[in-house]
Amino acid sequence: MIRTVGILGAGQLARMLAQAGKPMGLEFIFLDPAVDACAAEYGEHICADWDDEDALRKLGQRADVVTFDFENVPESSARLIESLCPVFPPPRALFKSQDRLREKTMMQELGIPVAPFEAVSSRPELAAAVEKIGLPCVLKTRRFGYDGKGQQVLRFQEDMERAWQVLGGEELICEGFVSFDAECSIIAARGAGGHTVYWPLTRNQHRDGVLAISKAPAFSAELQVHAEALVRRLMDHLDYTGVLTLELFLKDGGLLANEIAPRVHNSGHWTIDGGCTSQFENHLLAICGLPLGDTQNHSPVLMFNLLGQMPACAGEETFEAATNAAIHWHDYHKTPRAGRKIGHVTVTAEGEPGLRARAAQLAAALGVAAELDLQSVLRDDGARTE
Ligand code: AMP
């Protein structure tokens, strides 16, 4: 029986995994080089580098199963732990997702539609890729890019030199720019026996490359079936156990894959307050070899990411009363810093009209109403919620 879960990483995702696992009777042990890692409140924190072999062995010996909360843990570290105790998701999924070229190639081989792409490692290769793909296109670092970092959009020939100055010197990938109608993500959990469950396709809106809001449910049953088939193909191929997220672009009624995250995901935070079972609960159930929970919404829900610092309105009595207490604040206890993800807030309601009203009220209170396109995120594209 599994009592202790080890997590490589002790950020907010590990923190929310621990919050979900404590009532299940699980104990947690984390490995993270950050001295102020925010999950450390929930268990022992081994403060060490990702490739510190003694620390990795300690984690592998103390835990009954080990997982990770971010994908840039070296695959070799996950493999070392695997010699001591089971590691889920499989380290192979880490390997694939750590490099955008490897990831996109895998998706292409599996018949999952992606924007055209080319590997770029020199200035002439960039010119050839732009020639082949056409403008506009996006130049990205193959590794360590997240939240829009390590990316340059090229709209005109002249942009090539600027983008090369910023990113050249690293291994790159050039992708066709997708003028999408919407961004979405499908989050799925696959149990040890291969049984897979899917949360409703989530509509996402980013600002400056960072997720700003997520809404679920948001799309038709038809699109749901399509997205499920794509993520299922990936999970079966990787013989996956745990939660996997596939980020997608919706364009002209079809889906194009952007990237995968072999872990719980920011766009699934709504599942804590709006889902019958959260992504964190199901991830733990999957890696512990237990049956998975229902992934339907119990209420329509919208999540706002909180960046920089917690807003002053959090906890204000008048504000809570005005929204019928159907808002749920999550503070990750991280040191405030401009642009840093320090929390999120979700709003739920019995039906879509109620959600629209409360979401608008919450956006106004957060002071983000002007910068977000709430209308398009709240647009009902066939979701059956009422
Ligand atoms: P990523 O780090 O690949 O998830 O990219 C962050 C965000 O940049 C995405 O959520 C999109 O909003 C945007 N983006 C990334 N790749 C493309 C693309 N090929 N075409 C258009 N927008 C993109």
Side-chain angles (χ1 to χ4, degrees):
M1 200 178 93
I2 290 177
R3 290 263 345 151
T4 306
V5 175
I7 307 184
L8 284 159
Q12 69 265 22
L13 299 177
R15 178 183 167 95
M16 285 183 267
L17 280 168
Q19 286 170 339
K22 286 276 176 183
M24 294 159 66
L26 295 171
E27 298 295 326
F28 290 85
I29 175 165
F30 310 95
L31 188 155
D32 195 307
V35 279
D36 59 349
C38 74
E41 282 174 44
Y42 291 89
E44 187 186 342
H45 173 202
I46 305 170
C47 190
D49 281 332
W50 302 118
D51 55 358
D52 180 328
E53 293 194 6
D54 289 341
L56 292 164
R57 275 201 194 90
K58 186 171 168 192
L59 186 74
Q61 280 156 359
R62 301 275 290 279
D64 300 312
V65 64
V66 167
T67 188
F68 38 87
D69 91 335
F70 91 130
E71 58 271 35
N72 287 320
V73 173
E75 193 208 358
S76 55
S77 300
R79 294 256 180 234
L80 191 154
I81 295 176
E82 214 179 20
S83 66
L84 299 163
C85 84
V87 176
F88 297 122
R92 185 162 162 249
L94 273 182
F95 175 74
K96 291 286 185 186
S97 67
Q98 281 170 353
D99 180 329
R100 289 183 191 274
L101 183 66
R102 225 181 269 147
E103 177 181 83
K104 284 249 154 63
T105 306
M106 171 179 67
M107 295 203 264
Q108 200 174 47
E109 284 168 3
L110 291 172
I112 295 171
V114 290
F117 63 92
E118 292 289 326
V120 170
S121 48
S122 68
R123 183 69 175 78
E125 276 182 19
L126 175 59
V130 171
E131 174 74 26
K132 197 162 172 192
I133 291 169
L135 292 167
C137 58
V138 190
L139 190 63
K140 301 180 179 178
T141 54
R142 277 169 56 176
R143 300 203 50 157
F144 303 118
Y146 68 99
D147 286 347
K149 293 182 177 62
Q151 295 192 19
Q152 294 284 313
V153 177
L154 281 68
R155 296 188 185 279
F156 309 100
Q157 287 289 338
E158 306 84 83
D159 294 338
M160 229 191 298
E161 189 51 38
R162 172 190 50 82
W164 183 254
Q165 290 303 326
V166 179
L167 300 177
E170 289 195 58
E171 291 295 310
L172 304 171
I173 181 171
C174 184
E175 296 175 5
F177 183 88
V178 182
S179 46
F180 50 78
D181 301 315
E183 287 192 83
C184 51
S185 51
I186 183 89
I187 305 178
R190 189 173 188 268
H195 175 60
T196 306
V197 294
Y198 312 86
W199 281 270
L201 192 55
T202 302
R203 184 190 282 267
N204 300 319
Q205 194 174 101
H206 292 76
R207 274 193 67 235
D208 304 326
V210 182
L211 184 68
I213 37 180
S214 292
K215 154 81 172 62
F219 296 101
S220 67
E222 233 179 312
L223 209 59
Q224 178 76 24
V225 169
H226 184 26
E228 288 182 7
L230 299 181
V231 73
R232 174 83 200 230
R233 220 174 289 169
L234 281 165
M235 291 181 121
D236 288 347
H237 173 72
L238 293 167
D239 195 14
Y240 201 86
T241 300
V243 163
L244 182 132
T245 307
L246 175 61
E247 291 182 48
L248 298 153
F249 298 125
L250 176 65
K251 174 139 180 68
D252 302 329
L255 293 171
L256 282 179
N258 178 28
E259 64 176 354
I260 62 170
R263 54 169 168 77
V264 286
H265 193 257
N266 195 169
S267 66
H269 290 358
W270 65 262
T271 61
I272 301 174
D273 302 308
C276 294
T277 312
S278 79
Q279 60 168 347
F280 303 100
E281 291 171 300
N282 263 348
H283 183 70
L284 293 169
L285 291 168
I287 68 170
C288 292
L290 296 167
L292 304 179
D294 184 358
T295 45
Q296 289 312 297
N297 284 65
H298 56 67
S299 319
V301 54
L302 191 134
M303 180 218 66
F304 293 83
N305 254 350
L306 301 172
L307 305 180
Q309 58 180 14
M310 289 299 283
C313 63
E316 260 178 34
E317 257 178 54
T318 47
F319 182 69
E320 302 260 348
T323 52
N324 266 344
I327 55 171
H328 314 271
W329 297 101
H330 297 257
D331 183 337
Y332 307 153
H333 280 189
K334 285 162 77 170
T335 311
R337 194 172 65 219
R340 190 176 201 197
K341 289 179 185 170
I342 45 88
H344 71 266
V345 55
T346 48
V347 55
T348 54
E350 274 170 26
E352 293 288 337
L355 186 71
R356 276 194 280 277
R358 283 179 188 163
Q361 199 177 5
L362 183 53
L366 293 171
V368 294
E371 61 201 45
L372 297 175
D373 181 6
L374 212 51
Q375 287 311 318
S376 73
V377 169
L378 287 165
R379 203 176 63 206
D380 179 2
D381 281 353
R384 290 166 303 167
T385 51
E386 285 156 278

